[in-house]
Amino acid sequence: MQLTRKVRIYPSKEQEDTLWVLSDRCRLIYNFALAERKERYATEGKGISYIDQQNRLPEIKEQYPEYKQVNSKVLQMVLRTLDGSYKSFFALIKQDPDARPPGFRGRKYFFTMKYNQSGFKVTDEEVQLSHKVEGGAKLVFPITTYAKFTDVKQVDVHYNEGKWYLSIVDEIKPPEYHDNGLYQAFDLGITKQTAVNMEGKFFELKNIRPDLYWNKTIDRITGRRDHCIKHTKTNCRPSSKKWLMLNNIKRKFEKKRAN
């Protein structure tokens, strides 16, 4: 079974610059592949598969040598991400006609890099990621975990509101099953869970739903913010300071809810 551990890292300024260079290469590959899919559908009425786009990567690297800076597996995972987004879109549009297809990524967007199977070295003290950016900093990050890694399959690098993280996917061996002759039955409800064992002991657990805890606060702040002036295409006036302040507070509480 696979277990993902999320670890925060603190890259130096030089390491951040290198990560952004690699991310920009991934973002452009994503945008080019997306444009190719859109153009193929517009001209021929059919899409293009992940395999077809992956097989063109060596040709793209020869034509544009800057893409050799990124590990090959990382570029392949970029195309897999796009392919997965399209599959999700086609499944969603059957239920929601207003569903929108994947969109292009802007210059300020940090593209999550997925080192799958190769391009990384993980120990219990540090993680090392490969790249070929000329003059770029070595991507070696000290980490602190409370468990040892046994068989790491993938390392993801992602960026969220000024903070850097690694998601390390480790293959672990589950404990062997041992039948002690005692059994516990659970009824997994939506609002509560009920349990009973062989001795007749019975108890209920209410679902706390921590994801709903912040909703009331977020709705109240959203209501206050919507009464302030916001800049739009039809309204050339800049957003008011109060709108900006309340919007920042709203994003802060949304982040708390997500965590």
Side-chain angles (χ1 to χ4, degrees):
M1 114 178 133
Q2 292 185 342
L3 178 68
T4 301
R5 298 186 180 96
K6 185 177 179 180
V7 183
R8 186 175 176 186
I9 56 175
Y10 302 87
S12 64
K13 178 62 170 61
E14 293 76 14
Q15 289 175 324
E16 285 192 11
D17 292 341
T18 302
L19 288 171
W20 277 105
V21 170
L22 296 173
S23 169
D24 197 54
R25 303 288 181 259
C26 294
R27 180 184 65 85
L28 291 175
I29 282 288
Y30 179 92
N31 286 344
F32 290 154
L34 177 58
E36 185 180 31
R37 284 177 177 252
K38 289 179 178 292
E39 183 179 358
R40 173 73 66 88
Y41 187 81
T43 56
E44 302 181 17
K46 61 181 182 179
I48 184 171
S49 70
Y50 159 75
I51 297 298
D52 291 338
Q53 291 191 314
Q54 175 192 279
N55 292 340
R56 289 194 58 233
L57 281 177
E59 176 186 342
I60 294 174
K61 288 182 181 179
E62 290 300 322
Q63 188 174 359
Y64 304 99
E66 59 267 25
Y67 291 106
K68 295 181 180 180
Q69 298 173 346
V70 188
N71 183 273
S72 297
K73 280 289 185 180
V74 175
L75 292 180
Q76 292 175 17
M77 293 303 292
V78 170
L79 298 180
R80 280 194 179 277
T81 299
L82 175 61
D83 188 61
S85 298
Y86 260 102
K87 288 179 179 177
S88 298
F89 164 70
F90 289 132
L92 181 61
I93 200 171
K94 295 178 182 179
Q95 304 174 1
D96 182 9
D98 295 328
R100 302 179 64 182
F104 295 101
R105 307 299 187 185
R107 184 179 297 274
K108 295 183 179 180
Y109 179 86
F110 183 86
F111 202 99
T112 298
M113 294 181 290
K114 301 177 181 180
Y115 287 80
N116 181 265
Q117 298 178 342
S118 65
F120 60 84
K121 181 178 179 182
V122 180
T123 67
D124 297 331
E125 291 81 25
E126 66 179 25
V127 175
Q128 181 176 350
L129 305 175
S130 67
H131 69 85
K132 295 182 180 178
V133 178
E134 186 175 355
K138 290 185 177 181
L139 299 181
V140 181
F141 306 107
I143 59 173
T144 302
T145 60
Y146 299 97
K148 294 184 178 296
F149 296 104
T150 57
D151 185 14
V152 177
K153 298 296 185 182
Q154 182 170 309
V155 178
D156 298 351
V157 187
H158 45 102
Y159 177 81
N160 183 21
E161 296 188 358
K163 298 178 182 179
W164 297 89
Y165 299 93
L166 296 178
S167 292
I168 305 173
V169 181
D170 190 24
E171 185 80 27
I172 64 174
K173 183 179 180 181
E176 295 183 3
Y177 172 73
H178 172 68
D179 188 355
N180 59 5
L182 301 176
Y183 301 95
Q184 181 90 39
F186 283 91
D187 179 14
L188 301 178
I190 296 177
T191 59
K192 64 182 178 181
Q193 292 80 46
T194 307
V196 62
N197 61 20
M198 294 181 64
E199 298 177 355
K201 293 184 178 180
F202 170 87
F203 66 89
E204 289 183 345
L205 298 172
K206 288 188 176 181
N207 190 348
I208 301 176
R209 293 296 302 274
D211 56 314
L212 301 180
Y213 178 82
W214 298 104
N215 283 3
K216 187 175 180 180
T217 303
I218 292 173
D219 291 341
R220 186 178 70 251
I221 294 173
T222 303
R224 292 177 57 193
R225 184 202 64 177
D226 291 345
H227 283 84
C228 303
I229 298 174
K230 177 188 176 183
H231 173 73
T232 61
K233 292 182 179 180
T234 56
N235 174 21
C236 297
R237 299 175 61 185
S239 300
S240 66
K241 292 183 178 180
K242 190 173 182 180
W243 188 96
L244 295 173
M245 178 192 71
L246 292 172
N247 191 58
N248 288 335
I249 295 174
K250 176 176 177 287
R251 292 182 59 188
K252 177 181 177 181
F253 281 108
E254 288 176 339
K255 183 180 177 182
K256 287 180 178 290
R257 180 178 61 182
N259 290 336

